[in-house]
Amino acid sequence: MSELNPFKIAQAQFDEAAEILGLEPAMREILRWPRREYKFTIPVKMDDGTTKVFHGYRVQYNDARGPTKGGLRWHPDETIDTVRALAAWMTWKTSVVDIPLGGGKGGVTCNPKELSDGEKQRLARGWMRVIASELGEHRDSPAPDVYTTPQIMAWMMDEFEVIAGRNHPAVITGKPIPLGGSQGRGDATARGGIYTVREACKILDIDPKGTYAVQGFGNAGQFAALLHQEILGGGKLIAVSDSRGGIYVEGGMDPEAIVKHKLDTGKVGDFPGSKPITNEELLELDVDILYPAALENVITEKNAANIKCKISCEMANGPTTPEADVILHEKGIHVIPDFLANAGGVTVSYFEQVQGTYNYYWTLADVHKQLDAKITKAYHDVYEMHKEKNVHMRTAAYLVAVARVAEAVKLRGWV
Ligand code: NAD
């Protein structure tokens, strides 16, 4: 497939699972398309007095297993097809970790790096005003994704509450803790991924204290770098990158020092004692564990043959194309697929919703324990399917997830 449209990729991945599961045509049709999608304009008063019109999206992909849930991405390349793909993956993600939610996603085409805090707040509130009537903890609830933050979630929750005229903390997750955020949400995505790596290392007899590299040094990537050492008891981080390029240190670097350097300078580049490396070179390093934690389509048929890691733990959504998946599988690389590897975020978002609905909040230890249980079970469900059907890990994850959603669709009598 030369096509890198993420929604076409998501549909191709689904089609393969549907074929193996022998789903009937109507079931395939309902599961390969979003149930509802919204595309709208958001006028925002800019600091210079002009009005700029942004394009916003919300896709509610499937709600057979529960209300839809999924993050909001603010990115210049955001399109309806990216949102559809991410919403489909959210559907499979909530299903693979077996939480009672469906999948959705949303976003705005914009470059947040060019917006002031005031403009971001007006954009967040404007997005919410257009779509508030279609949201709610029993319908659809957003969360953060690329370039959206707890502060943006707080403004959106506030706007929703103004419209609803009452307190509504569970409408949105990833909020700051004083506004009903959950303990442990900040690092949950990466933590879940590290739990899956821990399980994979045990099964495959790989030493987690070997080398690792992280592509994309944002929320998911930074916490993956830190928690790899904390949870797995060591490991040598030899390369990291962000949108401006990467750095390499043969003897390994201290993840905390890189996080601080990125905070101070806004980039990972120029870290003292490091050599520059491109994002492409980073992916092809000979490391034990690779964490693609940036954006889609970075491992393709062009570079898959050069990938050398033992485990690729996909913190990012959609980093590997279907053709590359086959090549990695043939090379014996153990891929922990995105919607399993990064399901920790939505799992703790679900915990946040539960806590907000009860108005009773858990301790950090409670959150970690419940997250570990959910993710560990999900990893083993997928691994067993991978062995039983002799398919690669992504297809195995699809088989587990799609079968559960199809069962809910059937029980509801939709098909
Ligand atoms: P983020 O905005 O915190 O960070 C994104 C990082 O990627 C930044 O460091 C940026 O510089 C870097 N980046 C952007 N373009 C790049 C490029 N072309 N090459 C290399 N690096 C690049 O975003 P995040 O929340 O960490 O999300 C990263 C990935 O993880 C996305 O695919 C997202 O969908 C996925 N994810 C995140 C969460 C979450 O809870 N944060 C949950 C599930 C999945």
Side-chain angles (χ1 to χ4, degrees), residues 14 24 47 62 85 112 122 130 137-138 164 167 179-180 195 241 256 259 287 315 324 343 346 348 364 376 400:
F14 165 78
E24 60 198 282
D47 290 348
N62 189 287
R122 293 191 288 280
V130 182
E137 59 270 39
H138 299 295
N167 182 260
L179 290 184
Y195 290 151
S241 66
E256 270 183 44
V259 170
V287 285
M315 304 298 338
V346 72
V348 175
L364 183 60
T376 300
V400 171

Side-chain angles (χ1 to χ4, degrees), residues 278-290:
T278 65
N279 268 289
E280 292 71 27
E281 288 164 345
L282 180 146
L283 294 169
E284 297 179 9
L285 286 174
D286 191 358
V287 285
D288 291 312
I289 298 155
L290 174 69

Side-chain angles (χ1 to χ4, degrees), residues 73 75 86 90 93 105 113 144-148 185-186 188-190 215-222 241-245 262 279 292-296 298 315-318 342-343 345-346:
R73 185 178 283 195
H75 195 273
L86 290 161
M90 282 306 298
K93 191 183 299 191
K105 203 82 186 188
K113 291 179 188 166
D145 191 71
V146 175
Y147 298 148
T148 54
R185 176 63 183 86
T189 299
Q215 192 220 19
F217 211 58
N219 172 296
Q222 291 183 24
S241 66
D242 60 21
S243 57
R244 302 207 228 161
K262 166 106 184 164
N279 268 289
L295 295 171
E296 302 88 47
V298 295
M315 304 298 338
N317 283 306
N342 66 33
V346 72

Side-chain angles (χ1 to χ4, degrees), residues 70-262:
L72 299 175
R73 185 178 283 195
W74 286 12
H75 195 273
D77 299 334
E78 189 78 336
T79 65
I80 187 69
D81 274 339
T82 331
V83 185
R84 285 170 164 169
L86 290 161
W89 289 325
M90 282 306 298
T91 307
W92 316 132
K93 191 183 299 191
T94 53
S95 177
V96 85
V97 283
D98 205 8
I99 54 179
L101 296 172
K105 203 82 186 188
V108 176
T109 311
C110 67
N111 185 354
K113 291 179 188 166
E114 291 170 357
L115 299 175
S116 70
D117 279 353
E119 289 164 343
K120 282 186 198 166
Q121 178 168 177
R122 293 191 288 280
L123 178 58
R125 290 181 183 276
W127 186 92
M128 183 52 92
R129 271 198 301 281
V130 182
I131 198 71
S133 61
E134 309 307 318
L135 302 182
E137 59 270 39
H138 299 295
R139 301 181 71 170
D140 179 23
S141 57
D145 191 71
V146 175
Y147 298 148
T148 54
T149 59
Q151 176 62 73
I152 291 173
M153 300 304 113
W155 291 324
M156 288 186 168
M157 180 196 77
D158 184 68
E159 190 67 23
F160 187 89
E161 292 188 345
V162 169
I163 294 165
R166 64 192 175 101
N167 182 260
H168 244 297
V171 68
I172 204 156
T173 59
K175 302 181 295 294
I177 289 185
L179 290 184
S182 178
Q183 297 286 344
R185 176 63 183 86
D187 69 14
T189 299
R191 183 174 290 272
I194 304 293
Y195 290 151
T196 65
V197 169
R198 180 193 64 200
E199 296 307 302
C201 286
K202 276 191 227 159
I203 289 182
L204 305 171
D205 201 17
I206 293 171
D207 180 6
K209 298 193 188 74
T211 51
Y212 68 108
V214 179
Q215 192 220 19
F217 211 58
N219 172 296
Q222 291 183 24
F223 281 119
L226 293 164
L227 293 174
H228 182 105
Q229 302 202 341
E230 187 185 313
I231 295 173
L232 305 177
K236 197 157 88 173
L237 175 63
I238 62 167
V240 300
S241 66
D242 60 21
S243 57
R244 302 207 228 161
I247 51 169
Y248 173 81
V249 179
E250 196 180 349
M253 45 192 144
D254 173 12
E256 270 183 44
I258 317 281
V259 170
K260 184 170 180 309
H261 173 75
K262 166 106 184 164

